[in-house]
Amino acid sequence: MTQTQAKDGGDAILEAFRNLGVDYIISSPGSEWAPVWEALARQKINETEGPTYINCWHETLAVDMALGYTRVTGKMQAVLLHAGVGLLQGGVGIHSAFLGEVPMVVCSGEAISYGENPELDPQGQWYRNLSVVGGPNRFVEPFVKWSGQATSPHTLYEQLVRAGEMAQRVPKGPTFLDIPIETMIHGWSPPAKIRRVAQAPKTQPATDSIDRLSSLIANSSRPLMIAEGSGQDVAGFDNLVKLAELMAIPVTESASIHANFPKSHPMYLGTPEAYLNQCDLVLLLGSRSPWYPPNAGPASATVVAMGENPLKGQMAYQNLLADMYVEGDMTITLQLLTEALEANGAATGSNAAKIAERREYWKAEHDRLNANRLTVEEAARTRQPIDPAWLCAAISEAMPDNAVYAEEVTSHRGQVMRHVQWDRPQSYFHPNGGLGQGLGLALGVKLAMPDRPVVALMGDGGFLYNPVTQSFGVACEANLPFLTIIFNNGNYEAMRRNHLHYYPNGDAAHSDIWHGVHIPGPDYPKLMDPFGGYGVRVEDPADLVPALKKGLEAVNEGRIALVDVVLSI
């Protein structure tokens, strides 16, 4: 079979994505994208290499899948959404990408002739329902890095390439291009020079910054690291381990969105609050908000903010209390810093005894924390209803060490961070921004790591914010099986806690009358029935590990699975 149509703007779009190195076009399909569907058909007919199309059932899901894939691979993806309303549906995911500095190119369409052009009928929906006064850009301008409209078929290709290049520059983030159907359907002639677009270079800190910081570390008695974004890639995770081991610097985590450090490592201490005023030097590794309230940082320590973009313009307020900035790609910075310390002999000579003492001190603290964790888990093991600490411990017991957790648990997130164990890089991901993104994040992670079991940890409230049936449908259609574990306490517990924070002795507290708190949720395991998945409800703590293992077995067989765990609180 040979192609029958001449090239048009759909080919320009596909060629731009191809040369930007996009692996997937992830789309909740809209009627304006017929030229792209034609170009994809031609790509298949001609057996041309290019992006794979993934059919999504919801706009937020499409954006979050792209986000999850990029957070694993570092490779920017493309998202096509339908018109104005589709763009609004995808807004929560785009906002999340903006907050998390995740590059992606998002496009939506429109018609600008409204049926008045006698040579092109865009159809009446654009005149009656879908047009946006001032253009769709207005919907996303506050939370994208750049937005524009493809004003001509002659500029469409380079506009998309430019949008992709900008998305990948520091600070990274989503870019948006509105592409009218009149531009897409117009004939297109490729430019004389078609190139594979150069990758964005990694930024590197200045040599004097590394020298100064290595000197601070070498002369410090009690340094501490607070990690948030250092584990974005495998090398960054490994480089942090090398630095911590070389200088016996403990690692803590605050508001982490990645797995940054092995939890079993003797230099791992959990959260930083108890140690801030024991230290004379605090290194912030990609931390946006290392402590709360913002002024609750260390009283006397020198604070060094590290990362390629430590001052976040997307945050309305930020107070890092930083005395020094070392700006550059985190993975490279950690490598250069470790090399500088080794070259200067910072861990030898007169420093050796100090580092040995520090290593033993923090190892003892790690062991104490670990013993406390195990004591809590053992005490929770037989409690009924099921204690959240035992659920987290059971997850660690039932899941293999290569499991990947996409977590959207609100009330029990602290327990997840304490009691669910992981030691490998890229084993934990948390979405930025609003609820309703955990399942899409899990699917994107699974797309990037098909050989690792992916587990979505979901509060029952957060779960119901997600496009649930759409997520499970895409998982089956795209062969992306994953396990969902619901932390089911029947409440928006965060709502109740916030209410009590403001009114601890209020009428609601005395009467037990709560508004916006109770969740009369569905029979969650039955959501698996239409998709041929495995579903089970667990109320007895003794049944928990076997149920989790059966869910994992189903995933390994290529089916989706859901374990609904009824909790005490």
Coordinates of all heavy atoms in Angstrom, one line a residue, residues 394-403 405 453 455 483 485 548-549 552:
A394 N 3.8 -4.4 55.5 CA 3.4 -5.6 54.7 C 3.7 -5.3 53.2 O 4.1 -6.3 52.5 CB 1.9 -5.8 54.9
I395 N 3.6 -4.1 52.8 CA 3.9 -3.8 51.4 C 5.4 -4.1 51.2 O 5.8 -4.8 50.2 CB 3.6 -2.3 51.1 CG1 2.1 -2.1 51.0 CG2 4.3 -1.9 49.7 CD1 1.7 -0.7 50.9
S396 N 6.3 -3.7 52.1 CA 7.7 -4.0 52.0 C 8.0 -5.4 52.0 O 8.9 -5.9 51.3 CB 8.5 -3.3 53.2 OG 8.3 -1.9 53.1
E397 N 7.2 -6.2 52.8 CA 7.4 -7.6 52.9 C 7.0 -8.4 51.7 O 7.6 -9.3 51.2 CB 6.7 -8.2 54.1 CG 6.8 -9.7 54.4 CD 6.1 -10.1 55.7 OE1 6.0 -9.3 56.6 OE2 5.7 -11.3 55.7
A398 N 5.9 -7.9 51.1 CA 5.3 -8.6 49.9 C 5.9 -8.2 48.6 O 5.9 -9.1 47.7 CB 3.8 -8.4 49.9
M399 N 6.4 -7.0 48.5 CA 6.9 -6.5 47.2 C 8.4 -6.9 47.0 O 9.1 -6.8 47.9 CB 6.7 -5.0 47.0 CG 5.2 -4.6 47.0 SD 4.3 -5.3 45.6 CE 3.1 -6.4 46.5
P400 N 8.8 -7.1 45.8 CA 10.2 -7.4 45.5 C 11.0 -6.1 45.6 O 10.5 -5.0 45.6 CB 10.2 -7.9 44.1 CG 9.0 -7.3 43.4 CD 8.0 -7.2 44.5
D401 N 12.4 -6.3 45.7 CA 13.2 -5.1 45.9 C 13.3 -4.2 44.7 O 13.8 -3.1 44.8 CB 14.6 -5.5 46.4 CG 15.4 -6.2 45.3 OD1 14.9 -6.6 44.3 OD2 16.6 -6.5 45.5
N402 N 12.8 -4.6 43.5 CA 12.8 -3.8 42.4 C 11.5 -3.1 42.1 O 11.2 -2.5 41.1 CB 13.2 -4.6 41.1 CG 12.2 -5.6 40.7 OD1 11.4 -6.1 41.5 ND2 12.2 -6.0 39.4
A403 N 10.6 -3.2 43.1 CA 9.3 -2.5 43.0 C 9.4 -1.0 42.9 O 10.3 -0.4 43.5 CB 8.4 -2.9 44.2
Y405 N 7.2 2.6 43.4 CA 6.0 3.1 44.0 C 5.7 4.5 43.5 O 6.5 5.4 43.5 CB 6.2 3.2 45.6 CG 6.5 1.8 46.2 CD1 7.8 1.5 46.5 CD2 5.5 0.9 46.4 CE1 8.1 0.3 47.1 CE2 5.8 -0.3 46.9 CZ 7.1 -0.7 47.3 OH 7.4 -1.9 47.8
P453 N 7.9 -4.1 38.5 CA 6.5 -4.0 39.0 C 6.3 -2.6 39.6 O 7.0 -2.1 40.4 CB 6.5 -5.1 40.1 CG 7.9 -5.2 40.5 CD 8.8 -5.0 39.3
V455 N 3.7 -0.1 41.6 CA 2.6 -0.1 42.6 C 2.2 1.3 42.8 O 3.0 2.2 43.2 CB 3.2 -0.7 43.9 CG1 2.0 -0.9 44.9 CG2 3.8 -2.1 43.6
L483 N -0.2 -2.5 40.0 CA -1.0 -2.8 41.2 C -1.4 -1.6 41.9 O -0.5 -0.7 42.1 CB -0.1 -3.7 42.1 CG -0.6 -4.0 43.5 CD1 -2.0 -4.7 43.5 CD2 0.4 -4.7 44.3
I485 N -2.9 -0.1 45.4 CA -3.2 -0.4 46.8 C -3.9 0.8 47.4 O -3.3 1.9 47.4 CB -1.9 -0.7 47.6 CG1 -1.2 -1.9 47.0 CG2 -2.3 -1.0 49.1 CD1 0.2 -2.2 47.6
L548 N -1.6 -9.1 49.0 CA -0.6 -8.3 48.2 C 0.2 -9.1 47.3 O 0.4 -8.7 46.1 CB 0.3 -7.5 49.2 CG -0.3 -6.4 50.0 CD1 0.6 -5.9 51.1 CD2 -0.8 -5.2 49.2
K549 N 0.6 -10.3 47.7 CA 1.3 -11.2 46.8 C 0.5 -11.7 45.7 O 1.0 -11.8 44.5 CB 1.9 -12.4 47.6 CG 3.0 -12.0 48.6 CD 3.6 -13.2 49.3 CE 4.8 -12.8 50.1 NZ 5.4 -14.0 50.8
L552 N 0.4 -9.0 43.1 CA 1.6 -8.9 42.4 C 1.7 -10.0 41.4 O 2.1 -9.8 40.2 CB 2.8 -9.0 43.3 CG 4.2 -9.0 42.7 CD1 4.5 -7.7 42.0 CD2 5.3 -9.3 43.8

